[in-house]
Amino acid sequence: MSFFKKLFSTEKKETLDKGLEKTKTTFFSKLSKAVAGKSKVDDDVLDNLEEVLVASDVGVNTTLKIIERIEKRVAEDKYLGTEELNQILRDEIGGLLSETNTGEATEFDIPKDKKPYVLMVVGVNGVGKTTTIGKLAYQFKKAGYKVVLGAADTFRAAAIDQLQVWADRVDVPIVRQNMGSDPASVAFDTLQSAVAQNADIVIIDTAGRLHNKINLMNELSKVKRVMQKVVADAPHDVLLVLDGSTGQNAFEQAKQFTAATEVTSLAVTKLDGTAKGGVVIGISDQFQIPVKYIGVGEGIEDLQVFNKYEFVDSFFK
């Protein structure tokens, strides 16, 4: 099927294959149980398949879409064998993802007409937000961009210190103030500094608390307003970081954050340590917000640009 094409380097592809290993193994062991003793795809197989997809954190709505697509295929070909189910699933999940014009990237890149390009990162504590920022800084710097970090998560001293560690490790400048400082003030200073340094990209960390959505909404709105005094159309991207290993909880966080602020892209982390990689398919489909990055390992190189062709290929390899 034309959906699948080879885009990643061998090394990058191996990292992705390895990162999705747990998800793949669990999914296919459940799938083989679902079709055990059956030779053709009938209602029982479809019911079992529905359970497998939901249990793999693909999400109910996305699962129903996939089942519907397979039912159409079964209606057209009454003798569809269970041995073909793997290929059919691969095609239909691929087809579902191809309906969005995202997940096409292969490199860490930013639009050339925005300078500095301002990326604001949101997400609850513990999802790997600061680590994702550090790895993004590394990847963008490696791609030849001049990067500046802003430590606007002033709610926790640990967040500022952790970002400092990454700034030192990647060797990029960071703008920080004391814990408890006004996050908007840090964002303002960061953008001023980035403009003065003629930086290409600014990555702003923000507080990760969700217990009071109104406060979070007000704070993020204020950060945006203040940034716009320096760069008129900032932020250019609001990236929500989600922990893929939490499965359905990641859906819930996506729901909460999209209600609190305008999220324009997603990063799904910690996919290597979980069997819940199906969450990427569900989130990508349900929120219609592009998944831009996925975390498939602990290493600094293991944050990858999400490419739907390579993802589906690794999932069904």
Side-chain angles (χ1 to χ4, degrees):
M1 191 185 175
S2 63
F3 176 82
F4 300 98
K5 39 190 169 183
K6 182 106 182 76
L7 298 160
F8 280 4
S9 66
T10 309
E11 196 182 340
K12 215 161 147 189
K13 184 66 167 149
E14 279 170 3
T15 305
L16 181 61
D17 290 348
K18 195 167 163 238
L20 293 178
E21 192 62 46
K22 277 191 183 172
T23 295
K24 204 171 70 170
T25 308
T26 309
F27 180 79
F28 286 107
S29 70
K30 284 179 185 166
L31 188 63
S32 51
K33 279 181 195 152
V35 299
K38 296 276 188 180
S39 59
K40 69 184 182 69
V41 178
D42 57 16
D43 288 347
D44 276 356
V45 168
L46 288 171
D47 284 347
N48 292 343
L49 176 60
E50 193 173 315
E51 277 177 37
V52 170
L53 288 166
V54 171
S56 303
D57 288 277
V58 170
V60 175
N61 294 348
T62 305
T63 293
L64 292 175
K65 280 190 198 176
I66 295 167
I67 295 295
E68 214 172 282
R69 284 165 173 262
I70 295 173
E71 276 174 341
K72 264 188 200 162
R73 297 270 291 260
V74 173
E76 286 161 18
D77 180 355
K78 293 275 185 280
Y79 298 99
L80 219 50
T82 48
E83 72 281 357
E84 294 157 87
L85 194 55
N86 188 351
Q87 185 60 45
I88 294 164
L89 259 176
R90 177 187 167 118
D91 290 351
E92 296 310 335
I93 289 172
L96 195 66
L97 288 176
S98 70
E99 285 168 12
T100 58
N101 296 320
T102 57
E104 307 260 340
T106 54
E107 302 298 335
F108 286 85
D109 212 356
I110 52 171
K112 302 284 179 275
D113 59 339
K114 309 278 184 197
K115 190 167 178 170
Y117 184 78
V118 182
L119 172 58
M120 185 164 102
V121 184
V122 299
V124 299
N125 299 328
V127 294
K129 184 163 57 85
T130 314
T131 302
T132 299
I133 293 170
K135 289 179 180 180
L136 275 174
Y138 167 78
Q139 292 287 5
F140 283 124
K141 186 182 177 190
K142 190 177 152 192
Y145 294 110
K146 191 170 184 185
V147 185
V148 174
L149 300 183
D153 182 355
T154 57
F155 191 63
R156 295 182 310 135
I160 301 171
D161 294 341
Q162 205 185 345
L163 200 63
Q164 180 71 61
V165 168
W166 273 106
D168 294 342
R169 185 178 174 187
V170 179
D171 192 23
V172 295
I174 181 172
V175 175
R176 56 177 286 176
Q177 292 178 14
N178 294 331
M179 182 189 162
S181 303
D182 179 8
S185 162
V186 179
F188 182 82
D189 286 357
T190 307
L191 262 62
Q192 278 202 319
S193 173
V195 169
Q197 294 178 61
N198 197 27
D200 298 301
I201 180 163
V202 180
I203 309 176
I204 304 277
D205 189 13
T206 62
R209 52 196 191 281
L210 245 187
H211 57 261
N212 187 330
K213 210 162 63 189
I214 297 298
N215 280 359
L216 179 75
M217 203 182 292
N218 292 342
E219 186 177 292
L220 294 177
S221 298
K222 185 183 172 190
V223 169
K224 284 182 185 179
R225 275 197 315 277
V226 170
M227 287 199 293
Q228 284 163 2
K229 290 177 181 174
V230 187
V231 176
D233 53 352
H236 303 112
D237 189 5
V238 178
L239 176 73
L240 171 61
V241 181
L242 298 167
D243 176 349
S245 71
T246 62
Q248 289 308 297
N249 195 20
F251 274 92
E252 198 45 49
Q253 285 174 24
K255 221 181 280 178
Q256 298 277 330
F257 266 99
T258 48
T261 190
E262 191 191 348
V263 173
T264 50
S265 66
L266 303 169
V268 184
T269 65
K270 307 183 187 182
L271 290 174
D272 54 307
T274 181
K276 297 174 186 283
V279 78
V280 175
I281 298 161
I283 282 176
S284 174
D285 170 57
Q286 216 171 310
F287 291 96
Q288 292 296 302
I289 296 169
V291 175
K292 266 196 185 173
Y293 311 108
I294 53 173
V296 287
E298 304 265 319
I300 200 163
E301 295 274 3
D302 295 339
L303 181 75
Q304 291 195 350
V305 166
F306 173 66
N307 182 282
K308 59 194 176 192
Y309 307 105
E310 296 288 12
F311 183 87
V312 175
D313 186 61
S314 285
F315 195 85
F316 284 96
K317 209 166 183 187

